[in-house]
Amino acid sequence: MANVELKNLKKAYDEAEVIRGIDMQIEHGEFCVFVGPSGCGKSTLLRMISGLEGITSGDIVIGDDVVNAIAAADRGLAMVFQSYALYPHMTVRQNLSFGLENINTPRAEITEKIKQVAAMLQIDQLLERRPKDLSGGQRQRVAIGRAVVREPRVFLFDEPLSNLDAELRVGMRAEISALHKRLGNTMIYVTHDQVEAMTMADKIAVLRLGVLEQFGRPLDLYNEPENLFVAGFIGSPKMNFMTGSIDGADRSLLTLDTGEEIRLPEGRFSHQVGQSVTLGVRPNELQPTDEGVLHMEVASVEQLGSDSYLYGALGDGTRLTVHNPGQTRVGAGDQVRLGADPGTFHLFDTASTLTLRAS
């Protein structure tokens, strides 16, 4: 079984702690994505699992083995890098066979494995070419193929699609997901792109400043974020946030800093009278309506044909994004009233940034 468990894992460079006590259980066969902003520690964490980076304290368990002191080459893992890391003087066939030759795999077995993997990844016509003669997408397929032929317990991907153009990224996302379904191995994938995380993952680990902010299924993170950071990071475009306080006489009434009043659904949130809170509403839930209590001045409009995006601000300068299905006649400079179903609201304590969800 190739489950991966991290137990109070820490990494420090002198006095600078970059991984701050992470606990995580990745089950056998899961596709787990580490996501977060630049500098959050996701690539460092992946390199610690791989053995390319030492740990300061804690344990890494792969299967039934604590691998803290086991060399990278002996952990039964295969890593695919952002830069492809192909040998430029070797053909595709030689790149695929190199790792197997190093462990004295019989020649007939190497030939058969390369044949199977090349057909699976549709690179069987490229075996005699060198990396300089390949496109970016072809190079990435070769890099993935080099990992697959080793038949590792766990695949590690470090931002493998970041060098590809947008259209090719979408195609390669689908190919990696299909590969996971075919092989059934545990895969851990690092990206800064939360769209990749949402579309590919069985589980997502959201990291910030070396801390695991939330770990769970993609739609659980989207629908029930545990704090303000996760709510703002998961979802594209990002969630809108408006600050205010709970009315002193009516705990279901939220008064925004703009003075506008919003009725909260009864029994959904665990807020207190007078508490400073942040209201979160996703762009697709805000809609122009004559009954809306929010007054936004539109700064710009993006017309995409099938969708429109309105960008503007409330009276106190709070910026909002509105996703409008279809086309719109609203233009820059217009004043619009916005409303939303209270059942779609998210509420956070402004001081702690934690979700105020009734138990």
Side-chain angles (χ1 to χ4, degrees), residues 164-179:
L164 305 181
D165 62 52
E167 184 177 354
L168 194 53
R169 284 176 71 128
V170 173
M172 286 300 297
R173 283 206 307 257
E175 290 189 23
I176 293 173
S177 294
L179 180 68

Side-chain angles (χ1 to χ4, degrees), residues 175-197:
E175 290 189 23
I176 293 173
S177 294
L179 180 68
H180 174 247
K181 288 181 173 64
R182 280 198 296 267
L183 299 177
N185 295 61
T186 306
M187 293 187 176
I188 304 175
Y189 186 104
V190 163
T191 181
H192 64 275
D193 184 341
Q194 58 91 20
V195 174
E196 279 185 18

